[in-house]
Amino acid sequence: IPLAAERFEGITPEQMVEVGLRSHVHPLQEVVVGEIGETLWILFGTVGLVLLIAIANVANLFLVRAEGRQREVAVRTALGASRPRMARQFLLESVVLSVTGGAFGLALATVGVRFLLMIAPVSLPRATEIGVDGLVLVFTIGLSVLAAVIFGLAPVPRRAAFDMVTVLKGTTSTAGRRRWRGRNALVIAEVALALVLLIGAGLMVRSMGALQSVHPGFERPEQVLTFRITVPMSAAPSPDQTPNVHQRILEALENVPGVSAVGAASGLPLERRSNRNAILARDADAESVSGFYKGVAGDYFEAMGIPLVAGRLLTWDDLREQRLVGMVSESVASRYWGSPDAAIGRYIRHDSRDPWRQIVGVVGNVHDRALDRIESGGAYWPVYLENFVGFPWMVRRSLSYAVRTDRLDPATLLPEIRQAVWSVDATLPLADVQTMQDRVETSTARTSFVLVLLGIAASIALLLGTIGTYGVLAHVVSHRAREIGVRMALGAREGQVRWMVLQHAAWVALIGIVIGLGAAAGLTRFMATVLFGVTSSDPATYAISASAILAAALLAGWLPARRAARVDPMTTLRAE
């Protein structure tokens, strides 16, 4: 800071701190990856939670399958089959199922990755290198084999827990009831993890809704076509010739049919090309503020749809006659002088070596960097200035153009725009061609990307949780068929039987919801960097997500409950 203060004469270190100028030291990797690194960690955690839910679901299904095959295992054991032999058989069956599932998942992932790359934000680093490669293949095969080994040996009996006589008689054992508790615990874990993902997806939906309601500061961006033109030294050898080339291009574009306004600036909103520095004001009512600086030309504000709040706009006469004038945004005017009207006639400058420039106009605020960032405002100058920060002149050779049209599709103007530009200089290329609506969508791309992935993960988690709950309840109903038959024989009504099963589902879901709410309160704090307009502890999102989980659990329990209510007590007791 002292070195910077020495570079900018007249600015003390204290003043630089007051306006928010300070040193920022970051690792190169952080600069290259940027904020997307935090997004990728969130997505990595999301995938991990889905994997845990899938593991819990598969474990539950294998436990049910193992219990269903206990009688088969007992018969094989009675006939002399050894545990290693049965283990090999069950392991082989499990390997076939796991590898088949892994291959199907790999094929689905190949298609899914292509789809996700289509909607991935442009800021995602090295996106072209993302794909299903050898490392992913090895990981998938390894995970499938590991799952086969862990779950495939579940049906193999243990010496202490396996009573062959009890199983052959068909009576319920303590080990069976322990398995029920184990399966309930797995469902509770699924519910809790699914709730965490559902809350995360809900927070992203709220953030996206808040972003959609943010006004960018300019009107009808879908009608504005933007591109960038750089005037090389060969086209304008001297600095004062550069504005003339840009003026001729602007005049040629104004004559294109369908064009209602044309302007240019050193940087467009959401383009992240604007310079940022202290805006020094004379006779101000507040301390110095930091903001953006833009050089503008032509009918920039009309083309962008940025409203004029007070005063007038900059003109070509201001540039040609080198009048010491400028413009500020509404927030800067209000911060310094209390109102836009009070700012007209006041003076600002960029640096202590600059002459004071009179404010001739105040325009509306715009989101210059991103829609999810609060802007401090900025100042606007002509694209060519003399005596700027100690230099004899400052010229903008590269300008971003904004062309407003009444056509439904601004892209249809592109051939005519190229011809208009080439009529001035056939060597000038148009770069970064897109509409302002494209820039707005790019600004929200990271939030949209996280929302899509969290939505997919939450949907899968909710589906797996529902399947897990249904599986456990269906198994419980089948094992309690005799009990249910006795209850109905003693006068229990169908509604009471249904409620008994649904009550089981509700208790399992409520326990999982309580655990999931606690886990979400801790884990969603890491999403703060991708949230906008909502806190990570938003009560409405938590309540809606918990209600959705409870409704899914009751829905999963409805079919087993209805099946239990239709049990014929005479048939059940006769079978027993």
Side-chain angles (χ1 to χ4, degrees), residues 276-561:
R276 308 189 71 85
N277 209 329
I279 300 176
L280 305 180
R282 190 169 71 182
D283 302 327
D285 298 331
E287 298 293 337
S288 299
V289 298
S290 176
F292 61 80
Y293 284 87
K294 291 182 186 290
V296 297
D299 298 327
Y300 169 75
F301 298 102
E302 293 94 329
M304 283 299 304
I306 301 174
L308 177 66
V309 179
R312 67 171 179 87
L313 300 174
L314 296 175
T315 65
W316 284 110
D317 290 336
D318 295 326
L319 185 148
R320 283 191 291 267
E321 299 175 12
Q322 282 300 296
R323 297 171 182 168
L324 298 178
V325 294
M327 299 178 65
V328 295
S329 63
E330 187 176 1
S331 59
V332 173
S334 299
R335 172 72 181 273
Y336 277 139
W337 299 286
S339 68
D341 291 328
I344 302 300
R346 302 299 182 102
Y347 293 88
I348 59 172
R349 62 183 177 182
H350 181 277
D351 184 82
S352 60
R353 291 164 293 180
D354 287 346
W356 290 104
R357 301 182 184 275
Q358 188 178 46
I359 299 174
V360 296
V362 178
V363 292
N365 298 321
V366 296
H367 286 266
D368 190 60
R369 289 178 291 180
L371 291 181
D372 58 353
R373 291 192 179 185
I374 299 176
E375 290 292 344
S376 56
Y380 301 89
W381 314 120
V383 293
Y384 177 76
L385 298 173
E386 293 181 354
N387 189 17
F388 185 76
V389 294
F391 295 98
W393 46 263
M394 188 279 294
V395 64
R396 305 282 186 177
R397 287 190 172 272
S398 181
L399 293 180
S400 294
Y401 281 70
V403 179
R404 179 169 291 275
T405 177
D406 296 329
R407 295 188 186 182
L408 294 178
D409 185 7
T412 59
L413 278 174
L414 192 54
E416 297 167 80
I417 287 176
R418 284 199 181 100
Q419 292 301 322
V421 173
W422 292 342
S423 67
V424 177
D425 190 327
T427 65
L428 297 180
L430 276 65
D432 195 19
V433 180
Q434 57 182 311
T435 65
M436 278 306 302
Q437 183 62 34
D438 293 333
R439 298 188 186 278
V440 172
E441 293 174 356
T442 300
S443 180
T444 61
R446 185 177 69 143
T447 302
S448 301
F449 186 60
V450 176
L451 172 59
V452 170
L453 292 184
L454 276 178
I456 294 174
S459 301
I460 294 174
L462 190 60
L463 177 62
L464 292 177
T466 303
I467 293 174
T469 304
Y470 168 79
V472 167
L473 292 178
H475 193 63
V476 168
V477 168
S478 65
H479 274 260
R480 296 180 67 180
R482 183 175 183 275
E483 174 193 345
I484 294 172
V486 172
R487 286 176 180 269
M488 297 189 72
L490 294 176
R493 298 178 181 177
E494 292 185 4
Q496 292 174 321
V497 174
R498 278 196 297 267
W499 171 242
M500 178 183 69
V501 179
L502 289 176
Q503 191 177 29
H504 187 166
W507 276 112
V508 170
L510 288 174
I511 295 173
I513 287 172
V514 171
I515 297 174
L517 289 176
L523 293 176
T524 52
R525 291 186 294 107
F526 298 102
M527 297 179 58
T529 56
V530 296
L531 296 179
F532 175 77
V534 63
T535 63
S536 59
S537 58
D538 180 56
T541 303
Y542 278 59
I544 294 173
S545 301
S547 300
I549 288 288
L550 181 59
L554 293 177
L555 179 63
W558 175 251
L559 289 178

